[in-house]
Amino acid sequence: MSTPTMQPQIAPKAKPQVLKEDAMWLQKEMINRNYHELATAHQDGRKVSATFVPGNLNELLMCFNFARSLPETNALQNGMRKKSGKMIMDAERDGHSEDVCTYVKADLGMMLQGQVGPTGEPLPHPDVLLLSYTGCFTFMKWFELIRQKYNCETVMLHVPYQGDGKVSPAMRDYVVKQLKEKVIPTLEKVSGVKFDIDRLRQYMRESVKAEENLVRVLQSAKNRPSPIDGYFGAVYYIGPIFTAFRGMPEATRYYDTLWSEVEQRIREKKGPVTPEGEMAEEKYRLVVEGPPNWTSFRDFWKMFYDEGAVIVASTYAKVGGVYDFGFRHDAERPLESLAEYCLGCYTNLNFPQRIDMICKYLDEYQADGLLINSIKSCNSFSAGQLLMLREVEKRTGKPAAFIESDLVDPRYFSAANIKNRLESYFQMIKQKRVAQAAAGVH
Amino acid sequence: MNVKEIVARCEALFEDLRFNAVQQWKAALPGRKAIGYMPVYVPHEIIHAAGFLPVGIFGGGDQIEVIQGDAYYQSYICRIPRSTVELGLSGRLDCLDGMLFPSVCDVIRNLSGMWQIMFKDKYVRYIDVPQNYDDAIGGTFYISEMQHLRDDLGALRGQPITDAELNASIAVYNENRKAIRDLYSYRAQKPWQAPTSEVYLLLRAGCVLPPEEHTPLVRAYIAAADVEKRARRDNARVVMTGSFCEQPPLGLIKSIEMSGCYVVDDEFMLAFRWLMDEVPADGNPLEELSKAFLHRSAQSASKYDDKKEDKGRYLLHQVKSRGAEGVIFAAPSFCDPALLERPMLQEVLAKQKIPYTAFKYAENTGQMAPIREQAGTFADSIKLWSAA
Ligand code: SF4
Ligand code: SF4
């Protein structure tokens, strides 16, 4: 999956100073510490787990003292550091098709290059692959590929898809049974740690605190001006909670800090902070569907803030959990709640649900329109997005636009094309406003 | 009927993208319904037990011009969903009362929701199959999925589907599967008598004919092919793998054969061979279907391999049991499951020193020369290898 958690980047000297908030520094520290923990896990006698962002069972993994790696995050971090292009090509030279998801190839390429993580420290081979199969078939092949190469213990958690737009008791029971009878025993065996459900409960209670604040932060974009960017900024905000930190007091602290920063921005009627400072004037409010491009992330973002466009809500910020529609981890029914969490991640929703969600965002966040960033790698997100575009336009009467790029393959980011598209899209929104004003509609 | 007549009939069914055979079947008796399904596998028995006709929808092939369908898909997505959308929007699937979308990949998964939006008056269901193979876990879930389908189809006909009906359908499909197994064994024994281009058409006929009609047709073909006088050539025996969803054009299969290969096993229309042996027809039908799925079904890229050692087991079995000398990986362009699976299978083959070659296709691939050349070189190298 297209996944969050980025480190704030230090800009090269010649470039303008990148501005960061306190929460960002906190996050940087957390991420660096996690990579260091991974690097030293084996010498510290700890086992290493790897799992995916959607359906990430972080609280459960913590119950077994695993150092936790998220291969999607490693891939995107490498993408941001412009290292993924070579990794992908190495994987292709090793026999992987040019047609398939580049997250997988970036990960396999990193392994081929000696498994040095994004921070320059070595990443150990995982002791267990928790194949939490939520919202994407490629995950299954991804871990089968790693298992084939490195012989890692692998445990599958099959999460059924919400084909008819709901979670049935049979679906939930199926996931719970797998947790009880497959996942937990395997994690016990690999880690040598006995499962303690009260420990899980404790982590889940901690998760809820962070979840509450994350939702406040994301929903702050309903304000005018929006104090945050719900896409380019949100990929930072979702970082800790979607990855190795949910359930930890550090995550709670991070979201407390973040929320107080955002609250203050609301009070001061400030717009979002961009890498080049505060956004001056909010001219356009957009909803975005699809993951961002990581290899040219800053250039991509700049195309928006230069034009005064702020993203008020994005579906991508829901890949690791749809908290803004009410889901919270529930310590009273821990395993059922973990199952519901996995079943409810964004890409596990069916198409009508995804479209409903976007229409709701357009309405509740008073957005001008929808932008779809269609990712070449990602069939899970992308297959069918053109229908989504039509449906949303039809239902909301708001203009929608379509651009194409890739997650971590720099060959598929065409800045000029995207910029052109965006410029005409902003034009279109403007014209629509004029027409509406003329017709007396608002 | 002789071979020519049987093949001509199958070819006509294959080329008829208006599904006249389905329309005729429906028109023969009032109240009849037809339910479409996409690759790879759905339990046909449940559709059949409702008295409905299961109809395999394997895209539009190379005979359909995709105009509307292209407006729904980016260039980097395989072709089968766009030609299927084309079939739907152009009214060619109006004869279907419903569509089933099995869990194969994210493209077909998402298409299930698109279908719900585009064809609101039809029955649409996503069929999840378990990736956990314990009876008490994956089995229980799968039985509930099948029960859901059973209830829905029962409601559609206005009368619940009984166990006796399901068992009768299991028996009908046991016969069909057996006939197809026999056809595959026959082809492996005498591939010159039963070329794959014909075997393929016979399977495609099974996508639109009721099994009661399809099974005798398969049997008739085996008998008729056996008395044909056909030249035996010094071809390389290959297994073709990766074509479980979007289908290669018929011309591509013919090209491979013309280039000097006998295809002795494949993944075409795997639904007919998914369950690898008899399903008991006198027990609890859904339990038996579940057990057959969990413990005695084919492998394909869309199915999880529980253990590392399981990877490639089915392909190796195909190679060894059919006496194949090599493997052709033929996958649709942009097919994540097939293309991600490929390097793992290649590694398994390399360990066993089984030669392979690989290419991609689309259902409307028109240029056969490069494929013919590649398959020809592969066949030559196999022959050289075995002569050495
Ligand atoms: S296909 Fe999409 S969701 Fe799946 S691993 Fe790739 S980027 Fe992630
Ligand atoms: S050809 Fe492959 S990617 Fe396309 S729908 Fe079929 S299985 Fe999915």
Side-chain angles (χ1 to χ4, degrees):
Chain A
M1 166 79 35
S2 17
T3 307
T5 299
M6 313 178 317
Q7 277 196 34
Q9 304 265 296
I10 306 295
K13 277 195 190 104
K15 291 200 180 159
Q17 185 62 43
V18 179
L19 295 177
K20 293 179 208 77
E21 299 146 289
D22 282 352
M24 269 202 166
W25 289 112
L26 254 179
Q27 179 171 166
K28 182 183 161 95
E29 225 177 86
M30 288 158 74
I31 294 170
N32 280 348
R33 200 175 54 242
N34 193 57
Y35 275 119
H36 184 68
E37 272 183 28
L38 282 167
T40 54
H42 284 158
Q43 85 207 36
D44 295 342
R46 281 178 79 185
K47 301 284 183 184
V48 175
S49 66
T51 198
F52 297 110
V53 166
N56 166 17
L57 300 177
N58 198 54
E59 298 87 348
L60 187 65
L61 288 167
M62 289 201 294
C63 291
F64 302 94
N65 301 337
F66 283 107
R68 299 169 305 281
S69 173
L70 290 110
E72 300 148 283
T73 307
N74 303 338
L76 87 83
Q77 295 271 3
N78 282 323
M80 294 202 74
R81 290 167 171 76
K82 313 255 184 238
K83 291 180 184 167
S84 55
K86 165 113 187 11
M87 292 169 175
I88 291 165
M89 286 198 286
D90 283 355
E92 287 176 1
R93 263 193 295 276
D94 195 43
H96 295 278
S97 167
E98 64 273 22
D99 289 358
V100 302
C101 171
T102 51
Y103 261 4
V104 182
K105 286 185 287 188
D107 191 35
L108 296 169
M110 181 182 74
M111 292 184 167
L112 286 170
Q113 289 177 8
Q115 186 87 344
V116 176
T119 53
E121 288 193 275
L123 275 180
H125 289 314
D127 298 292
V128 69
L129 304 170
L130 171 55
L131 204 182
S132 161
Y133 168 72
T134 311
C136 165
F137 276 78
T138 298
F139 288 150
M140 181 166 93
K141 297 286 116 185
W142 188 342
F143 274 1
E144 281 187 351
L145 279 157
I146 297 183
R147 178 181 66 185
Q148 177 106 349
K149 241 190 157 93
Y150 301 102
N151 228 348
C152 310
E153 174 90 41
T154 307
V155 59
M156 156 68 93
L157 176 66
H158 176 207
V159 177
Y161 180 60
Q162 292 201 34
D164 48 11
K166 48 182 187 282
V167 174
S168 68
M171 288 158 77
R172 192 179 35 239
D173 292 350
Y174 176 43
V175 179
V176 169
K177 259 197 221 164
Q178 290 176 83
L179 287 171
K180 277 190 187 154
E181 290 172 39
K182 292 279 168 185
V183 175
I184 291 173
T186 306
L187 298 180
E188 280 183 328
K189 187 178 81 190
V190 174
S191 67
V193 177
K194 188 114 193 61
F195 176 58
D196 172 0
I197 200 156
D198 290 326
R199 192 172 165 189
L200 176 65
R201 287 199 168 100
Q202 189 46 43
Y203 291 137
M204 289 173 86
R205 283 189 198 106
E206 200 64 41
S207 298
V208 176
K209 298 180 196 161
E211 287 158 4
E212 292 290 347
N213 274 334
L214 171 73
V215 171
R216 287 189 185 111
V217 169
L218 294 176
Q219 293 187 338
S220 72
K222 290 182 182 173
N223 288 285
R224 272 177 190 270
S226 167
I228 62 155
D229 188 288
Y231 184 54
F232 296 104
V235 297
Y236 293 94
Y237 309 149
I238 56 180
I241 210 165
F242 281 10
T243 61
F245 309 100
R246 199 182 60 228
M248 292 176 87
E250 286 92 324
T252 309
R253 198 159 57 241
Y254 168 80
Y255 286 100
D256 279 347
T257 312
L258 178 64
W259 172 232
S260 29
E261 284 171 8
V262 172
E263 252 189 322
Q264 191 174 342
R265 302 192 72 75
I266 301 174
R267 278 197 301 272
E268 294 169 0
K269 294 210 168 306
K270 284 183 172 169
V273 178
T274 75
E276 291 179 34
E278 208 154 280
M279 209 176 90
E281 189 195 348
E282 178 185 287
K283 292 192 196 144
Y284 308 103
R285 294 167 67 85
L286 303 178
V287 171
V288 170
E289 145 77 11
N293 161 275
W294 300 115
T295 49
S296 300
F297 184 79
R298 293 267 301 280
D299 297 338
F300 190 30
W301 189 356
K302 190 170 164 51
M303 292 179 199
F304 291 80
Y305 63 71
D306 275 355
E307 296 288 335
V310 61
I311 315 303
V312 287
S314 65
T315 54
Y316 178 69
K318 319 295 153 29
V319 283
V322 180
Y323 297 107
D324 54 341
F325 288 94
F327 174 81
R328 296 291 180 274
H329 281 84
D330 180 358
E332 301 311 311
R333 357 176 345 264
L335 297 184
E336 290 75 10
S337 172
L338 288 181
E340 284 160 7
Y341 159 71
C342 293
L343 286 156
C345 288
Y346 177 68
T347 47
N348 206 48
L349 305 183
N350 77 0
F351 248 64
Q353 287 173 295
R354 282 172 63 181
I355 292 172
D356 284 348
M357 188 169 169
I358 291 171
C359 291
K360 243 194 202 139
Y361 283 156
L362 282 163
D363 177 36
E364 289 176 3
Y365 288 76
Q366 298 174 35
D368 295 300
L370 168 71
L371 176 75
I372 296 181
N373 182 34
S374 180
I375 292 292
K376 176 186 177 281
S377 271
C378 187
N379 285 345
S380 173
F381 257 103
S382 306
Q385 277 174 331
L386 286 158
L387 174 72
M388 199 176 253
L389 175 127
R390 290 170 192 215
E391 278 294 307
V392 170
E393 273 189 330
K394 196 166 83 189
R395 278 170 53 176
T396 64
K398 294 185 176 178
F402 203 82
I403 52 174
E404 293 183 340
S405 66
D406 191 51
L407 297 159
V408 286
D409 193 337
R411 294 172 293 189
Y412 296 100
F413 185 82
S414 163
N417 278 347
I418 293 177
K419 203 165 180 351
N420 276 343
R421 274 280 168 93
L422 288 177
E423 276 165 9
S424 18
Y425 182 47
F426 296 139
Q427 260 332 95
M428 195 157 101
I429 294 176
K430 253 198 247 164
Q431 279 161 10
K432 189 131 193 162
R433 277 188 195 152
V434 174
Q436 276 175 343
V441 191
H442 45 256
Chain B
M1 277 201 290
N2 63 27
V3 166
K4 220 168 143 197
E5 287 162 346
I6 295 172
V7 173
R9 167 142 199 253
C10 294
E11 192 154 14
L13 291 170
F14 167 65
E15 282 172 357
D16 176 19
L17 290 178
R18 298 234 156 246
F19 298 92
N20 282 299
V22 177
Q23 292 180 37
Q24 282 156 17
W25 181 87
K26 281 179 73 175
L29 275 179
R32 277 185 162 179
K33 290 190 169 28
I35 303 289
Y37 62 87
M38 289 205 68
V40 174
Y41 171 75
V42 296
H44 294 134
E45 286 85 349
I46 301 176
I47 308 171
H48 185 264
F52 300 165
L53 180 68
V55 181
I57 301 298
F58 281 77
D62 56 358
Q63 308 160 58
I64 185 177
E65 199 188 342
V66 173
I67 304 160
Q68 303 180 71
D70 271 345
Y72 288 86
Y73 286 100
Q74 303 88 318
S75 55
Y76 47 78
I77 288 175
C78 57
R79 195 168 186 273
I80 184 170
R82 59 189 84 223
S83 64
T84 305
V85 165
E86 185 77 28
L87 289 173
L89 291 177
S90 59
R92 289 171 169 98
L93 300 182
D94 286 356
C95 57
L96 301 181
D97 300 280
M99 269 291 263
L100 305 181
F101 297 86
S103 55
V104 180
C105 73
D106 298 317
V107 175
I108 290 191
R109 185 197 72 172
N110 288 2
L111 185 57
S112 70
M114 293 169 69
W115 217 264
Q116 290 171 20
I117 293 167
M118 289 193 288
F119 303 99
K120 291 203 163 67
D121 55 330
K122 303 278 183 179
Y123 173 71
V124 179
R125 183 151 177 86
Y126 176 76
I127 304 284
D128 226 332
V129 294
Q131 305 283 11
N132 169 294
Y133 307 122
D134 285 9
D135 291 298
I137 307 175
T140 305
F141 167 71
Y142 186 42
I143 289 171
S144 77
E145 275 291 290
M146 288 192 286
Q147 183 63 41
H148 196 124
L149 179 64
R150 175 186 184 170
D151 292 345
D152 284 355
L153 297 185
L156 210 56
R157 78 161 174 182
Q159 205 184 336
I161 300 171
T162 64
D163 278 2
E165 285 172 319
L166 277 167
N167 274 329
S169 296
I170 288 174
V172 167
Y173 277 98
N174 276 338
E175 284 306 308
N176 188 254
R177 281 187 284 263
K178 186 162 182 332
I180 292 171
R181 276 200 302 276
D182 289 348
L183 173 66
Y184 269 59
S185 305
Y186 180 75
R187 176 184 61 172
Q189 272 164 28
K190 298 181 182 172
W192 56 93
Q193 290 295 104
T196 294
S197 51
E198 293 181 2
V199 169
Y200 179 80
L201 287 171
L202 264 172
L203 290 189
R204 286 297 293 254
C207 294
V208 290
L209 293 178
E212 295 83 351
E213 211 178 315
H214 185 234
T215 307
L217 193 69
V218 173
R219 295 256 172 245
Y221 173 81
I222 301 173
D226 204 41
V227 295
E228 282 285 303
K229 284 211 170 5
R230 284 173 155 169
R232 176 179 184 163
R233 287 193 280 156
D234 181 25
N235 280 2
R237 298 170 62 89
V238 300
V239 171
M240 219 173 131
T241 192
S243 318
F244 50 84
C245 181
E246 180 173 321
Q247 298 295 289
L250 187 59
L252 188 147
I253 298 172
K254 287 182 177 162
S255 294
I256 288 177
E257 294 192 299
M258 270 160 20
S259 71
C261 293
Y262 282 137
V263 178
V264 292
D265 212 334
D266 56 59
E267 280 193 303
F268 307 134
M269 267 73 67
L270 209 47
F272 297 136
R273 289 172 296 124
W274 188 258
L275 306 183
M276 294 186 351
D277 58 13
E278 289 257 316
V279 181
D282 53 1
N284 177 321
L286 297 189
E287 261 177 48
E288 294 301 342
L289 284 170
S290 168
K291 279 188 198 147
F293 180 96
L294 296 174
H295 311 302
R296 307 188 306 275
S297 64
Q299 268 175 311
S300 96
S302 61
K303 203 172 143 189
Y304 177 60
D305 285 321
D306 214 8
K307 293 189 285 298
K308 184 185 170 192
E309 306 76 73
D310 295 338
K311 185 59 71 194
R313 189 171 278 171
Y314 180 69
L315 178 61
L316 282 181
H317 170 76
Q318 285 180 309
V319 170
K320 302 225 156 115
S321 64
R322 306 294 190 199
E325 300 159 288
V327 172
I328 293 182
F329 288 89
S333 294
F334 305 110
C335 177
D336 263 42
L339 292 168
L340 286 162
E341 181 84 350
R342 194 173 72 181
M344 293 186 271
L345 294 178
Q346 288 176 339
E347 193 185 310
V348 170
L349 294 179
K351 279 199 184 122
Q352 304 273 333
K353 300 201 169 17
I354 297 165
Y356 58 82
T357 189
F359 58 78
K360 292 186 294 185
Y361 63 82
E363 60 181 11
N364 62 338
T365 295
Q367 287 288 335
M368 295 304 163
I371 286 169
R372 196 154 49 221
E373 205 170 296
Q374 189 179 340
T377 312
F378 182 58
D380 291 345
S381 72
I382 285 177
K383 277 179 262 165
L384 275 173
W385 174 268
S386 56

